[in-house]
Amino acid sequence: MSDAREGAPRKRGRPARTDAGDGPGARERILTAARAEFAEHGYDKASIRGIAKGAGVDPALVHHYFGPKEKIFGAAVEVAFAPALEAQDIVSVGGLETIGERLTRFILGVWEDPVTREPLLAIVRSAVANETAAAVFRDLVTMRLMVRVAGELDVPEPRLRSELAAAQLVGVTLLRHVIKVEPLASADLDEVIAMVAPVVQRHLTED
Amino acid sequence: MSDAREGAPRKRGRPARTDAGDGPGARERILTAARAEFAEHGYDKASIRGIAKGAGVDPALVHHYFGPKEKIFGAAVEVAFAPALEAQDIVSVGGLETIGERLTRFILGVWEDPVTREPLLAIVRSAVANETAAAVFRDLVTMRLMVRVAGELDVPEPRLRSELAAAQLVGVTLLRHVIKVEPLASADLDEVIAMVAPVVQRHLTED
């Protein structure tokens, strides 16, 4: 990434102390460092000290901004899922008769790009391994994403149906990107979408 | 469980040394202890010492039977998935036109019982968090279970289709039993099966 070069003066050794305090970019740097820390060490082993070090700030500042670890995790999840939380647009941008294809393409697409995949992977790993992280994941993501999708549906039990559709998409991303089962892991994205979208569509709109 | 009472004489304090060696039950005790250890601590933090302690044997005996940690994990996975690995019977016991319902009921059913759920949970948590555990999970389970199911199918790309069906089932168990998303987590099992089975059927047999 060419960004690395732009940031070069701050890259070597200790970050400049003037930039390490309550600067305008500190909050953002802490969240970026938090995602890296959760991705590398998992929720249990991730530490505020490690996050602070990654962000080039004092641990007290991390606590000042976000509080305890689960709050930092929640904030990191929220930022990482920001595109997914905009899925309302994916829903309302077209008719219900093609919602399966749009939602499938969107969710699987977010996982296809290594840059957006990494924080998602960190969150999924943390949520699977740790009860606190699972609760954060559940409340933030499912309440905000699923409820929105379900709100658009005109079927009985829209919440349950949107969760079963989500289960199909979560399962595909898990087997494709985490467990890396072949041939799914190497299959062409468009082919996977073509096979998964009708199923998501069925969950969401068909009786 | 009433089994605890039957084993009571060995339950308190240090296990009797005469029973702690290369006895006929040692191998089985080590596998049981290994599943408990992986479930409680996850793959990374699980230790041969901890497994040996749980089984009431010397760590050297654990290594003697199974070798390094990933081999113990592989053996524990194999035993835990033994019912699932018999899914061949689930497949061949009836016609292809109802395979979705049989497979869905079987897989979701295994996760419904806390006794069979616990080792599966340990394995899934380990496989999601650790690359070595993911490789073991992938090779043992998917190669042995998916390939069998795929072998019965009469459609193009049977492997990919069986994996997409598995993705639906994995996603449902993950959201229901690990992330515990409501209403899915508390939904009646038969209702969930009724909504998921047609989708699994579609993946496996419909063009």
Side-chain angles (χ1 to χ4, degrees), chain B residues 66-78:
Chain B
F66 298 103
K69 190 159 76 172
E70 72 258 31
K71 298 287 185 187
I72 307 173
F73 182 78
V77 169
E78 194 156 18

Side-chain angles (χ1 to χ4, degrees), chain A residues 125 128 137-138 157 159 161 163-164 167-168 171-172 179-184 191 195 198-199 202-203, chain B residues 125 128 138 157 159 161 163-164 167-168 171-172 179-184 191 195 198-199 202-203:
Chain A
R125 286 194 163 129
V128 169
F137 180 91
R138 186 170 59 232
E157 310 208 59
R159 284 288 300 280
R161 281 163 165 272
E163 287 171 10
L164 293 176
Q168 173 72 77
V172 169
I179 309 292
K180 298 185 181 119
V181 174
E182 294 294 356
L184 178 56
E191 186 185 10
M195 293 171 87
V199 159
R202 179 183 178 128
H203 277 311
Chain B
R125 286 195 162 126
V128 169
R138 187 170 59 230
E157 310 208 59
R159 286 287 300 280
R161 279 162 166 274
E163 287 170 10
L164 294 175
Q168 174 72 77
V172 169
I179 309 293
K180 297 184 181 120
V181 173
E182 293 294 354
L184 178 56
E191 187 185 11
M195 293 172 87
V199 158
R202 179 182 178 128
H203 276 312

Side-chain angles (χ1 to χ4, degrees), chain A residues 112 175-177 179-188, chain B residues 160 163:
Chain A
E112 216 60 20
L175 293 186
R176 182 172 167 92
H177 296 291
I179 309 292
K180 298 185 181 119
V181 174
E182 294 294 356
L184 178 56
S186 304
D188 177 70
Chain B
L160 186 54
E163 287 170 10

